[in-house]
Amino acid sequence: MEIYEIKPHDFSSQLEVACLYVERKGKFLLLKRAAHKPEGGTWCVPGGKIEKGEPPEEGAIRELFEETHLRPSAIKMLRVLYIRKGSFDYVYHIFEVEVGDKETVILCDESEDYVWASQEEWNLLPLITGFKELFSKCFP
């Protein structure tokens, strides 16, 4: 996987993705991908494909609700990155959101577990490919 901060001249995006760093009391929400999903059993942040014509922020909020039933009290665009996996290019929109203490996570069938984890805690988990590199681009 190659991560670019500036769009390469030969970049041809096949889709756009939104991911969300959901923070609560200094910890981030991580979801354990279901076994039937690519890289099943690994941990990642909520997110998914943005629909054609959908603004990235709306796609991020929709994906967060679909995957966790959480509704953010605030959402902030952190950055846009350009990802290349082999010959597959996609645009990666990264958001940071806050949710209230009383909100409960309700998972969809794409995930089998969740955890609120500090960086030290998630370093002990099997993370999805590229997670640490992407996180470091947003939180140096």
Side-chain angles (χ1 to χ4, degrees):
M1 180 167 81
E2 299 169 67
I3 302 169
Y4 301 95
E5 295 182 35
I6 298 170
K7 184 178 177 180
H9 71 280
D10 63 341
F11 191 84
S12 179
S13 176
Q14 282 105 359
L15 63 95
E16 295 189 45
V17 173
C19 84
L20 303 105
Y21 290 99
V22 183
E23 190 173 359
R24 181 188 280 172
K25 296 182 179 179
K27 295 189 175 196
F28 291 95
L29 176 63
L30 296 180
L31 306 178
K32 186 176 184 183
R33 295 175 64 83
H36 69 275
K37 298 294 289 180
E39 294 192 63
T42 60
W43 294 82
C44 60
V45 295
K49 295 176 189 169
I50 297 171
E51 296 173 1
K52 277 241 188 271
E54 183 177 41
E57 184 175 289
E58 287 180 23
I61 292 168
R62 178 186 50 75
E63 283 290 337
L64 179 63
F65 184 76
E66 287 176 3
E67 293 185 7
T68 66
H69 279 75
L70 294 175
R71 295 205 184 268
S73 55
I75 183 166
K76 174 184 168 187
M77 168 63 88
L78 291 178
R79 69 179 321 153
V80 176
L81 296 172
Y82 303 90
I83 310 294
R84 177 169 284 153
K85 284 187 176 181
S87 62
F88 189 80
D89 293 344
Y90 61 97
V91 180
Y92 200 70
H93 301 269
I94 305 169
F95 295 89
E96 182 176 27
V97 301
E98 295 175 15
V99 294
D101 290 344
K102 293 183 171 67
E103 289 200 56
T104 303
V105 174
I106 300 171
L107 297 175
C108 70
D109 66 352
E110 294 180 8
S111 302
E112 54 189 48
D113 202 0
Y114 74 94
V115 66
W116 293 96
S118 66
Q119 186 173 356
E120 296 77 30
E121 293 167 331
W122 56 250
N123 273 325
L124 303 174
L125 299 172
L127 300 170
I128 196 165
T129 302
F131 182 90
K132 290 180 184 180
E133 293 128 308
L134 292 168
F135 184 87
S136 70
K137 298 279 186 194
C138 298
F139 303 96

